[in-house]
Amino acid sequence: MQEEKIKVALGDLLSELAKLTNTNLDEMEINLEFLPNFIYGAHEKNEILHKNIPEKLNLSVISNDVALNYTITSDLNEPQADGISLYDHTEVIQKHALKEKDVDWDITYIILPKESLKNIICTFDIKDFIDSQIYDERITEAIIDSAQKSKTQKTLKRR
């Protein structure tokens, strides 16, 4: 089977999954983070993005009895659902982690703020979900439904 990539906004996927699992969005556990999500030392955003970290994100969603854990490859320059690039959504936070003897250990965290999550475009290879022994069929349905909803909205906007 050939790979078939489906792109959906995380907010649309979560809405569809909430409907299918009869869960309120507020009750869902959602985590979307870079892999890795930190780098040692104090760094500025432009020093580390595009250079030291792969553009991979780990998505974790728990909705009632359904769980999704999936690695998404993304492009930092690609506009997200709100037209803002993934790079511009990303924040870096420098934290002083430890001072041991005469050495300072700093860590820079690479995060996506919670308010940005619904706009992040997630790319799924649908073959990973079809006939899967791991994923609940409602996840596959939510991905497909949210992709179709997105296509319908784009068509209506063009008119």
Side-chain angles (χ1 to χ4, degrees), residues 78-129:
E78 185 175 319
Q80 302 302 298
D82 58 0
I84 298 171
S85 72
L86 181 59
Y87 178 89
D88 290 330
H89 276 288
T90 304
E91 294 180 6
V92 296
I93 300 172
Q94 298 173 4
K95 292 196 176 180
H96 183 67
L98 174 69
K99 182 170 178 111
E100 189 175 296
K101 297 186 182 183
D102 292 332
V103 179
D104 289 335
W105 296 94
D106 293 321
I107 294 178
T108 301
Y109 289 92
I110 306 140
I111 64 164
L112 289 165
K114 197 167 194 108
E115 58 272 7
S116 292
L117 295 184
K118 68 179 184 205
N119 293 306
I120 303 303
I121 300 291
C122 300
T123 304
F124 298 97
D125 185 344
I126 200 64
K127 75 174 184 173
D128 292 340
F129 297 91

Side-chain angles (χ1 to χ4, degrees), residues 5 55-57 70-75 78 86 121-123:
K5 303 286 184 179
E55 296 168 11
K56 290 191 178 187
L57 301 166
Y70 195 77
T71 300
I72 298 162
T73 302
S74 193
D75 179 351
E78 185 175 319
L86 181 59
I121 300 291
C122 300
T123 304

